[in-house]
């Protein structure tokens, strides 16, 4: 609902990314540099770390991307895929987002948007 690059769009994207990051924090034994002593230390879980929710969020996003990519016509190419998107030479009207996973993802987005 906010224009791309606007303050509000960037703010809500950052809030979403931070919330997800805290949900997944400390799950995979990563470490960070501690400037106070010059050593690396493990990242501990946050108060909202929850492996089930973190994996569900990641899985739903990746499944939605996979479903959308599978609808791309065979005469088009997928150039690159990341965790949350892909690059293709297909035009938007050639990519279906009406499958069951994309539809569920849309419902989740609408629920979040209503908050």
């Amino acid at each position: 609902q906010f224009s791309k690059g606007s303050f509000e769009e960037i703010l809500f994207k950052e809030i979403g990314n931070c919330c997800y990051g805290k949900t997944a924090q400390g799950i995979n034994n990563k470490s960070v540099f501690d400037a106070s002593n010059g050593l690396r230390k493990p990242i501990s879980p946050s108060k909202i770390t929850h492996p089930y929710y973190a994996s569900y969020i990641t899985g739903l996003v990746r499944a939605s991307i996979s479903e959308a990519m599978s609808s791309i016509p065979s005469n088009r190419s997928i150039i690159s895929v990341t965790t949350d998107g892909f690059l293709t030479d297909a035009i938007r009207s050639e990519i279906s987002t009406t499958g069951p996973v994309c539809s569920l993802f849309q419902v989740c987005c609408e629920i979040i948007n209503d908050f």
Side-chain angles (χ1 to χ4, degrees):
Q1 82 189 29
F2 300 110
S3 60
K4 187 146 182 80
S6 69
F7 172 81
E8 292 87 354
E9 188 259 346
I10 294 168
L11 174 67
F12 288 111
K13 182 176 180 178
E14 288 297 320
I15 289 169
N17 287 342
C18 289
C19 287
Y20 170 74
K22 289 296 182 181
T23 304
Q25 181 176 312
I27 292 174
N28 59 359
N29 299 321
K30 286 189 175 182
S31 61
V32 294
F33 179 74
D34 183 352
S36 66
N37 61 20
L39 302 173
R40 296 190 65 77
K41 68 176 186 177
I43 298 174
S44 58
S46 77
K47 291 181 179 181
I48 64 167
T49 294
H50 199 292
Y52 173 80
Y53 291 133
S55 64
Y56 186 85
I57 292 165
T58 303
L60 181 59
V61 170
R62 289 179 178 174
S64 296
I65 291 169
S66 296
E67 186 176 80
M69 288 188 330
S70 72
S71 73
I72 294 174
S74 60
N75 64 324
R76 299 294 189 173
S77 298
I78 296 171
I79 296 132
S80 172
V81 183
T82 62
T83 303
D84 59 356
F86 61 93
L87 297 175
T88 180
D89 60 356
I91 57 175
R92 178 64 186 95
S93 63
E94 295 176 313
I95 304 169
S96 174
T97 56
T98 59
V101 179
C102 288
S103 295
L104 173 61
F105 187 82
Q106 184 60 42
V107 168
C108 293
C109 291
E110 289 167 5
I111 291 168
I112 291 169
N113 193 38
D114 288 341
F115 277 102

